[in-house]
Amino acid sequence: MSIKKIDHLGIAVRSLDESIKYYETVLGLKCEHREEVPSQKVRTAFFAVGEVHVELLEPTAEDSPIAKFLAKNGEGIHHVAFGSDDVVGQLAQAKAAGAQLIHETPIDGAGNKLVAFLHPKSTHGVLTEFCQPKGGCSCGGDHHHH
Ligand code: ZN
């Protein structure tokens, strides 16, 4: 079990369409994937930046965690996601080391991944995600083949 890389940065936005426009026209990146994630009540859009992705998150409901984040903080960086080969193991280690878990067990995330979060109160201010590609996908978790 180990963290392999920063998989993506999650950024909370009010409008996917408006923010995609920014990333495409100002930064010249290309949106490669859009997906709704019902378990987290968000719509997401992904941009590849080298090996790391930027994940834009727009809430789909008022009780979405992203809606609450936007109300409190406005748009901005929401979480940092560490790619691991064993999310369950990461959670167990984090818990044993005293971190507060938001998810005791991984949930379904975007891009056919298992994800779980640590509470920012116990991570020095950064909402921390662990993610791991689900089995059955031969691409190794980097979804460049949409
Ligand atoms: Zn994420």
Side-chain angles (χ1 to χ4, degrees):
M1 171 201 86
S2 66
I3 288 172
K4 302 296 186 195
K5 61 177 178 179
I6 289 185
D7 185 86
H8 62 270
L9 301 175
I11 298 176
V13 300
R14 293 203 168 82
S15 159
L16 268 195
D17 289 334
E18 286 300 309
S19 49
I20 286 172
K21 212 179 293 169
Y22 162 75
Y23 283 88
E24 290 193 333
T25 63
V26 177
L27 300 185
L29 298 170
K30 195 175 171 333
C31 179
E32 60 174 26
H33 180 53
R34 289 178 73 141
E35 178 180 352
E36 187 162 341
V37 185
S39 68
Q40 294 172 81
K41 296 182 182 171
V42 292
R43 265 188 290 275
T44 64
F46 284 89
F47 297 84
V49 187
E51 285 210 3
V52 180
H53 286 77
V54 169
E55 173 187 35
L56 304 181
L57 302 145
E58 176 196 71
T60 57
E62 289 201 5
D63 61 344
S64 162
I66 297 299
K68 289 176 194 160
F69 179 90
L70 287 169
K72 199 173 159 198
N73 305 292
E75 294 184 302
I77 292 198
H78 176 258
H79 65 270
V80 174
F82 294 98
S84 172
D85 53 10
D86 180 6
V87 169
V88 171
Q90 296 293 157
L91 288 175
Q93 180 187 313
K95 190 175 185 177
Q100 191 184 332
L101 310 187
I102 292 178
H103 303 106
E104 293 281 335
T105 55
I107 62 170
D108 287 337
N112 197 34
K113 284 179 180 171
L114 288 175
V115 307
F117 288 87
L118 304 182
H119 199 287
K121 271 186 198 150
S122 67
T123 62
H124 299 268
V126 178
L127 176 59
T128 299
E129 173 182 339
F130 296 127
C131 66
Q132 171 185 12
K134 276 201 223 172
C137 179
S138 61
C139 68
D142 288 308
H143 286 238
H144 297 297
H145 57 90
H146 300 291

